[in-house]
């Protein structure tokens, strides 16, 4: 997908993973100190040695209880192969999204003119009937419909009477109330129901480098990091201008867990995006016979990967940014495990019975593997401080909602597509972890956990598609990271 993430060049390289948990004004003043010294100019023996080890991560992942080696094995051997076969299914490959919304923060006329920024829209005939609202095929394999004979048999007129005295206007108000209540649990903007939203085939529009760069791209990440500052009440600082706190200084500055989690998730997403860019780089626009290829020639770019993560190019921050990838992965892994009872009961309906049955079986298999992971992220340690934690959770949610709005400012359509999807998927994971609706329900009669999710609990199809695809992107990044290690060796 590359485009809007090409911020590792110049001043945004260091910005990428600096903590912004402080006064934003101080952050802005500090930008000038981080705008140089990030272009590869040295090929010394020292650089040659370090290039073979900087991405060979080891040890425990911060704020989690498992090791990187455990995640590498579990992902690359058990989870990644299952996700790859699942995400090509129709239910997960068609994503409804609004790509033509105006940027709510600034006037941006810098639309990417590169041909690889364009999104290929799918044909109407290719969209599965169940996703278009065509229920005819759905009825073919509903058991109740198959056994139904005469709708008028045993009809009791009095019992069948429906009081329709409530006006349509009142019904609309009730729906508005319900939508408002449901929206309070969301951590991101859902726009698939808005006029202008269209289905996009994700397989026709893979995430990779598109050539989108420059001031427009830099402004996206600058806004994400600098305009979502937490107040510095949790940081001990000597003056108001000690604004930018490097990753390794977080613990020493006593940054609270909630702030660290927010930063590491965004940082992990940024790292994941940069890995996809490096692994799916535009190597040439010409094919093997010298003619311009309609699809281009794509492949891994080792120099690009080193420039984005190697110690000498990132002031020794690159390995920390890669570790944040693992952290974001564990958070979304935990969300899938927590929502597993709910997700098992989903129909994954497209109107194609055989495909739907296969998807449901594959999802259950994947969820079983995910639940078997030995050291899940513990979300109960967050937002557990009484009244202050309620305010902190609200602030956490509002800042993530703001990031999802920034995605409408991305000037490259394909980058906007994958940015919106991954932010929505991460937001859905946060909703699962912190809304309280997916917490274990205890049967008051016997004091044990209910095996079935409550009937009021639900995720929209777009949220489920984004959740699985966003996790698939993080899983792919960890797999691609191992491939980069192999090439370095």
């Amino acid at each position: 997908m590359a485009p809007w993430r090409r911020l590792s060049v110049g001043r945004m390289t260091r910005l990428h993973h600096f903590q912004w948990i402080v006064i934003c004004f101080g952050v802005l003043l500090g930008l000038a100190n981080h705008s140089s010294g990030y272009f590869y100019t040295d090929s010394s023996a020292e650089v040659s040695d370090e290039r073979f080890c900087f991405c060979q991560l080891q040890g425990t992942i911060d704020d989690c209880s498992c090791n990187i080696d455990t995640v590498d094995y579990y992902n690359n051997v058990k989870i990644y192969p299952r996700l790859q076969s699942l995400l090509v299914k129709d239910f997960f490959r068609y994503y409804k999204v609004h790509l033509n919304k105006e940027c709510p923060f600034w006037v941006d006329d810098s639309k990417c003119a590169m041909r690889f920024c364009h999104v290929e829209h799918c044909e109407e005939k290719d969209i599965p009937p169940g996703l278009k609202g065509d229920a005819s095929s759905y009825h073919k394999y509903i058991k109740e419909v198959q056994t139904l004979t005469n709708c008028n048999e045993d009809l009791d007129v009095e019992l069948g009477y429906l009081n329709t005295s409530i006006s349509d206007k009142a019904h609309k108000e009730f729906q508005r109330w319900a939508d408002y209540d449901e929206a309070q649990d969301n951590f991101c903007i859902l726009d698939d129901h808005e006029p202008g939203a269209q289905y996009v085939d994700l397989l026709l529009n893979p995430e990779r480098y598109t050539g989108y760069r420059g001031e427009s791209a830099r402004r996206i990440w600058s806004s994400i990091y600098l305009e979502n500052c937490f107040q510095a009440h949790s940081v001990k600082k000597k003056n108001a201008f000690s604004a930018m706190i490097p990753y390794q200084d977080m613990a020493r500055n006593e940054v609270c867990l909630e702030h660290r989690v927010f930063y590491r998730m965004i940082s992990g997403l940024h790292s994941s995006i940069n890995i996809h860019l490096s692994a799916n780089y535009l190597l040439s626009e010409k094919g093997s016979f010298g003619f311009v290829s309609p699809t281009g020639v794509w492949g891994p770019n080792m120099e690009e990967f080193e420039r984005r993560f190697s110690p000498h190019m990132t002031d020794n921050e690159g390995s920390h940014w890669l570790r944040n990838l693992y952290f974001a992965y564990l958070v979304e892994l935990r969300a899938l495990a927590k929502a597993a009872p709910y997700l098992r009961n989903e129909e994954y309906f497209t109107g194609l019975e055989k495909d739907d049955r296969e998807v449901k079986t594959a999802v259950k298999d994947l969820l079983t593997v995910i639940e078997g992971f030995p050291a899940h992220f513990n979300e109960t340690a967050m937002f557990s401080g009484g009244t202050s934690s309620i305010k902190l959770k609200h602030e956490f949610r509002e800042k993530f909602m703001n990031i999802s709005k920034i995605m409408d400012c991305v000037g490259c359509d394909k980058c906007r597509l994958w940015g919106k999807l991954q932010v929505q998927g991460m937001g859905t994971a946060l909703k699962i972890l912190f809304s309280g609706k997916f917490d274990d329900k205890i049967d008051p009669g016997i004091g044990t956990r209910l095996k079935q999710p409550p009937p009021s609990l639900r995720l929209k199809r777009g949220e489920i598609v984004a959740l699985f695809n966003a996790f698939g992107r993080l899983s792919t990044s960890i797999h691609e990271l191992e491939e980069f290690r192999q090439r370095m060796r």
Side-chain angles (χ1 to χ4, degrees):
M1 149 181 175
W4 54 285
R5 325 138 177 187
R6 196 174 165 80
L7 302 182
S8 57
V9 180
R11 69 180 184 181
M12 287 311 299
T13 301
R14 296 262 326 256
L15 243 186
H16 175 118
H17 292 71
F18 270 179
Q19 181 59 306
W20 68 95
I21 307 173
V22 283
I23 301 173
C24 295
F25 180 63
V27 175
L28 292 172
L29 289 180
L31 283 177
N33 296 326
H34 303 281
S35 60
S36 62
Y38 293 95
F39 294 92
Y40 185 83
T41 58
D42 191 332
S43 58
S44 64
E46 180 180 355
V47 171
S48 179
D49 290 340
E50 71 180 13
R51 72 183 293 266
F52 290 101
C53 62
F54 74 86
C55 64
Q56 189 65 46
L57 308 177
Q58 296 178 342
T60 303
I61 301 169
D62 298 314
D63 292 318
C64 297
S65 59
C66 69
N67 294 327
I68 284 177
D69 289 344
T70 303
V71 176
D72 280 335
Y73 169 78
Y74 218 84
N75 177 73
N76 296 340
V77 175
K78 297 186 175 184
I79 292 179
Y80 174 78
R82 286 175 166 86
L83 276 172
Q84 293 307 296
S85 62
L86 179 64
L87 296 180
V88 298
K89 299 295 186 181
D90 283 355
F91 183 87
F92 292 105
R93 69 183 284 186
Y94 292 102
Y95 176 61
K96 195 171 185 180
V97 61
H98 196 331
L99 294 176
N100 296 315
K101 298 176 70 173
E102 292 185 2
C103 174
F105 301 110
W106 60 78
V107 177
D108 191 356
D109 56 359
S110 55
K111 276 281 188 178
C112 177
M114 301 284 291
R115 64 190 178 105
F116 297 115
C117 288
H118 176 67
V119 169
E120 297 288 341
H121 290 283
C122 50
E123 298 287 339
E124 181 71 17
K125 61 181 178 62
D126 295 330
I127 301 174
L131 303 187
K132 295 186 291 186
D134 180 5
S136 58
S137 56
Y138 173 62
H139 292 320
K140 292 180 181 179
Y141 62 94
I142 293 183
K143 186 180 299 183
E144 291 79 3
V145 174
Q146 292 172 344
T147 58
L148 190 61
T149 54
N150 186 347
C151 294
N152 294 318
E153 286 184 1
D154 300 323
L155 177 63
D156 188 309
V157 177
E158 292 185 5
L159 292 177
Y161 173 71
L162 177 65
N163 186 336
T164 59
S165 59
I166 300 177
S167 66
D168 290 340
K169 183 179 180 180
H171 278 297
K172 291 179 180 178
E173 285 299 313
F174 296 155
Q175 186 59 48
R176 284 183 57 196
W177 296 347
D179 292 342
Y180 175 82
D181 290 340
E182 183 178 347
Q184 302 314 298
D185 296 323
N186 293 337
F187 281 75
C188 60
I189 304 297
L190 306 177
D191 58 18
D192 57 346
H193 63 286
E194 297 179 3
Q198 293 180 295
Y199 278 105
V200 175
D201 186 343
L202 297 177
L203 298 188
L204 290 179
N205 299 277
E207 184 188 21
R208 57 192 181 189
Y209 175 75
T210 65
Y212 175 55
R213 66 182 76 184
E215 185 59 33
S216 176
R218 284 194 294 271
R219 182 162 51 177
I220 298 299
W221 281 113
S222 175
S223 299
I224 288 175
Y225 283 106
L226 296 183
E227 295 180 14
N228 294 284
C229 304
F230 285 99
Q231 294 300 315
H233 55 75
S234 62
V235 181
K236 292 182 178 180
K237 61 185 191 304
K238 295 181 180 179
N239 58 66
F241 300 103
S242 59
M244 301 183 69
I245 303 176
Y247 173 92
Q248 63 266 32
D249 290 341
M250 287 183 185
R252 185 165 64 245
N253 285 277
E254 299 181 4
V255 174
C256 71
L257 173 63
E258 290 80 4
H259 290 181
R260 292 199 306 270
V261 167
F262 187 93
Y263 164 72
R264 285 173 180 150
M265 290 193 69
I266 301 303
S267 172
L269 172 63
H270 200 168
S271 293
S272 177
I273 287 170
N274 278 334
I275 290 173
H276 296 316
L277 183 156
S278 303
N280 297 277
Y281 203 84
L282 180 60
L283 302 178
S284 173
E285 294 195 30
K286 296 182 179 181
S288 56
F289 295 102
F291 298 105
V292 175
S293 169
T295 58
V297 179
W298 307 82
N301 186 325
M302 183 63 70
E303 291 183 2
E304 185 70 15
F305 176 76
E306 289 186 50
R307 185 160 61 84
R308 291 176 181 273
F309 294 106
S310 65
H312 75 286
M313 299 295 287
T314 63
D315 194 26
N316 293 315
E317 292 288 331
S319 62
H320 299 302
W321 302 345
L322 291 174
R323 296 176 79 87
N324 288 339
L325 162 66
Y326 285 81
F327 180 83
Y329 176 90
L330 288 174
V331 171
E332 294 194 17
L333 183 76
R334 169 56 187 155
L336 284 165
K338 188 171 185 176
Y342 174 88
L343 295 170
R344 282 196 179 92
N345 289 321
E346 273 293 299
E347 291 298 326
Y348 302 97
F349 171 68
T350 64
L352 307 174
E353 181 180 3
K354 182 175 180 294
D355 289 352
D356 294 353
R357 187 168 58 247
E358 290 177 354
V359 168
K360 194 167 185 177
T361 300
V363 168
K364 289 181 178 179
D365 175 56
L366 174 64
L367 293 174
T368 299
V369 172
I370 288 175
E371 287 179 310
F373 185 74
H376 277 290
F377 173 72
N378 179 19
E379 77 282 3
T380 62
M382 295 177 61
F383 308 116
S384 58
T387 305
S388 60
S389 68
I390 297 175
K391 180 179 179 181
L392 184 58
K393 183 190 289 188
H394 176 76
E395 187 180 11
F396 192 102
R397 173 181 169 272
E398 287 300 313
K399 293 186 184 304
F400 206 88
M401 289 280 285
N402 192 55
I403 290 174
S404 74
K405 294 176 184 177
I406 293 174
M407 292 299 101
D408 287 318
C409 300
V410 177
C412 164
D413 286 343
K414 190 170 290 183
C415 312
R416 180 182 293 202
L417 163 66
W418 284 100
K420 287 171 74 78
L421 181 145
Q422 290 177 83
V423 169
Q424 184 178 342
M426 189 169 281
T428 303
L430 295 173
K431 174 180 178 178
I432 292 169
L433 293 177
F434 303 120
S435 69
K437 292 188 175 180
F438 291 83
D439 294 345
D440 290 341
K441 305 301 179 183
I442 305 299
D443 187 326
I446 57 178
T448 58
R449 186 177 69 175
L450 296 174
K451 294 183 178 180
Q452 295 296 330
S456 61
L457 188 65
R458 73 187 186 98
L459 291 173
K460 295 180 179 178
R461 178 186 175 274
E463 291 177 297
I464 296 175
V465 172
L467 176 65
F468 276 85
N469 273 283
F471 181 64
R473 293 285 77 205
L474 296 175
S475 173
T476 299
S477 293
I478 290 176
H479 184 266
E480 289 173 341
L481 185 57
E482 178 59 30
E483 293 187 345
F484 275 117
R485 292 186 189 117
Q486 296 291 346
R487 292 188 184 95
M488 286 185 174
R489 296 188 187 109

